[in-house]
Amino acid sequence: MTSKVCIVGAGIAGAGAAYALDEAAEVTVFEAEDIGGRMVSAHREDCVYDYGANYVDPPNDRVEERFRSVVGDRLAETTGDVWVFDESGEVEEGRPNQGVKLSGRDGIDEIVRAFLDASDATVQEQTAVNRLARTADGWAVTADGERLASDAVVVTPPAGDLLAKADWEADFRETLVAARQRQSYRTIDSVALHYPFEMDVPYYALVNTDKEHAVGWLSRESCKPGHVPDGEEILIVQLSPAWAAGRPDATPAEAADAASTHAATLLADDRLAEPDWWDHERFRYALPGDRVNPALFEQALEHDLGLAGDWLAGTGRTHAALETGLEAGRRLSTRL
Ligand SMILES: Cc1cc2nc3c(=O)[nH]c(=O)nc-3n(C[C@H](O)[C@H](O)[C@H](O)COP(=O)(O)OP(=O)(O)OC[C@H]3O[C@@H](n4cnc5c(N)ncnc54)[C@H](O)[C@@H]3O)c2cc1C
C-alpha cells in the first residue's frame, strides 16, 4: 500500500519536502494561507511585486542548477547589483561579481509553485492544520475539521504551537518544543511603493551594512523581467528590525510613511515621498536569529516526523530552507 505523508506549510521548505517525497508517498500539503509562505508576491494593476523574500541567491552551481532545472523558464533573473549605505545614508558601490538573483516571472511564489507542480502532491491552500496526534502507526492530522491518517508528517512553520499542543506523549516533544520556543526572530515591516515614473539609478538595490539605519533594504522591482511595466517603478523598502522593535503598534500607514520618506532622502529624489499607491506587511517571524540543535532533526525522524524550514537551518535564506525540505523528504522516503 502507498504510504501517506502530510506536510504542514507550502513555503519553499514544504515544497522541497513534497518534491523529494514524490516517488515514495502520496503527499498532501496543507497551507494555512497561500502557496509561497514568505516567498510571497502580489499583483496590482499590471504589476507583480515580491514583498517578502526578494530573490533566491543560490550559493553554488549545484543549487543554482536545481532551481533552473525545476523552475525553468518561469524564472526571472534580476538585473543590476546591490549597492550599500550606512547610518549616514551615504550610498556606495557594492562588492563586484555579485551572483545570480532569481525570482519568478509572475512573482517569486512561482518558484515554490514549480517545486510543488513537479511533485504529485495534493495542495490544500487556505487550510490550516489545527492538530497533530501521534497514533500507533503514524500521525493523525486534523485540518479544517477533517482528520487524515498519515504515516509521517513534515512540520515547516517557523513558529506556532502545533507541536506544543500536539496529542503526543514523548520526552522528545518537550525538548523540541522548548528548543523552538527559545529561538529568536527578527521582525520586518516590508513596504511596496508604486510610482508612475521610471528611476534613473545605477543599481538594483541598496542594503544597509552597519545596521544603524531605519531602512535595512531598498530594491527596484523593475529590475525583474515581467514585474513592472515600462514607465513605472515599484520600490520595496524593508524597515530595519530595530524600527519594528521600537514600534510594536505601528500602523501600515506609519510604516509606509517612514518607508517613502526615507526612500526620498536615500535616493535624493523628493518625488519618492509621494507614491501613488503602497502596500504593507509586517512579518513577525521574518528571519530566524539562531538555529536549533541539528540533532533534533535526526531524533524527530525516529518519530516519523520530518522537520524542515529556515528555522531549522538557522538562516533566513530560501535556498537553505529548500535544502532542509529536500533532506526531510529524502530521509522520510527511506523510512516509509
Ligand atoms: C521581508 C523578508 C525578506 C527576505 N528576503 C530574502 C531574500 O531576499 N532572499 C532569501 O533567500 N531569503 C529571504 N528571506 C527569507 C526567506 O523568505 C525564508 O527563509 C524562506 O522563505 C522560509 O521558507 P520556509 O518554507 O521555511 O517558511 P515559510 O515560507 O514561512 O513557510 C511556512 C508556511 O507554513 C504555513 N503555516 C503556518 N502554520 C500553518 C498551519 N498550522 N497549517 C498549515 N500551514 C501553516 C505558513 O502560512 C507558511 O506558508 C526574507 C524573508 C522576509 C520576511
Side-chain angles (χ1 to χ4, degrees), residues 187-191 213-217 237-244 254-256 258-260 262 280:
T187 297
I188 293 179
D189 287 89
S190 177
V191 183
H213 200 282
V215 172
W217 170 268
V237 178
Q238 289 167 8
L239 296 164
S240 69
W243 191 92
E254 283 164 349
S260 56
H262 283 297
H280 163 267

Side-chain angles (χ1 to χ4, degrees), residues 9 11-13 30-32 37-38 52-55 129 157 309-310 316-318:
I12 190 69
F30 292 104
E31 169 51 54
R38 278 168 282 162
N54 299 287
Y55 55 76
V129 171
D310 65 349
R317 298 317 289 171
T318 50

Side-chain angles (χ1 to χ4, degrees), residues 77-277:
E77 207 163 310
T78 305
T79 53
D81 279 338
V82 179
W83 288 28
V84 298
F85 64 97
D86 62 11
E87 182 180 14
S88 71
E90 194 168 321
V91 172
E92 289 176 15
E93 208 161 337
R95 61 184 165 77
N97 306 322
Q98 297 178 10
V100 68
K101 304 175 189 69
L102 305 172
S103 177
R105 286 193 167 266
D106 197 34
I108 198 165
D109 56 355
E110 270 294 288
I111 295 179
V112 181
R113 287 176 198 282
F115 276 90
L116 288 168
D117 290 349
S119 77
D120 255 349
T122 302
V123 185
Q124 298 200 18
E125 285 184 88
Q126 306 293 329
T127 309
V129 171
N130 318 112
R131 196 153 196 92
L132 296 176
R134 189 76 167 118
T135 58
D137 47 6
W139 291 85
V141 177
T142 306
D144 274 0
E146 299 273 329
R147 193 176 149 104
L148 195 70
S150 184
D151 297 289
V153 289
V154 180
V155 172
T156 73
D161 55 2
L162 206 50
L163 290 165
K165 67 180 192 192
D167 185 2
W168 173 26
E169 295 297 326
D171 291 345
F172 175 66
R173 184 181 72 100
E174 313 293 330
T175 310
L176 177 58
V177 168
R180 275 167 64 88
Q181 285 172 346
R182 277 196 301 274
Q183 272 200 298
S184 64
Y185 289 91
R186 281 167 277 164
T187 297
I188 293 179
D189 287 89
S190 177
V191 183
L193 305 166
H194 178 269
Y195 302 98
F197 51 81
E198 287 180 10
M199 291 177 52
D200 184 21
V201 290
Y203 44 76
Y204 151 60
L206 299 176
V207 66
N208 175 218
T209 42
D210 61 6
K211 313 242 180 288
E212 296 289 345
H213 200 282
V215 172
W217 170 268
L218 180 155
S219 55
R220 299 165 53 218
E221 285 293 295
S222 64
C223 295
K224 297 174 179 172
H227 280 222
V228 181
D230 289 347
E232 301 177 34
E233 182 59 278
I234 292 183
L235 293 184
I236 301 294
V237 178
Q238 289 167 8
L239 296 164
S240 69
W243 191 92
R247 294 164 188 79
D249 302 319
T251 63
E254 283 164 349
D257 187 51
S260 56
T261 305
H262 283 297
T265 311
L266 268 175
L267 277 67
D269 184 341
D270 291 343
R271 298 174 303 167
L272 302 183
E274 303 286 344
D276 61 347
W277 54 260

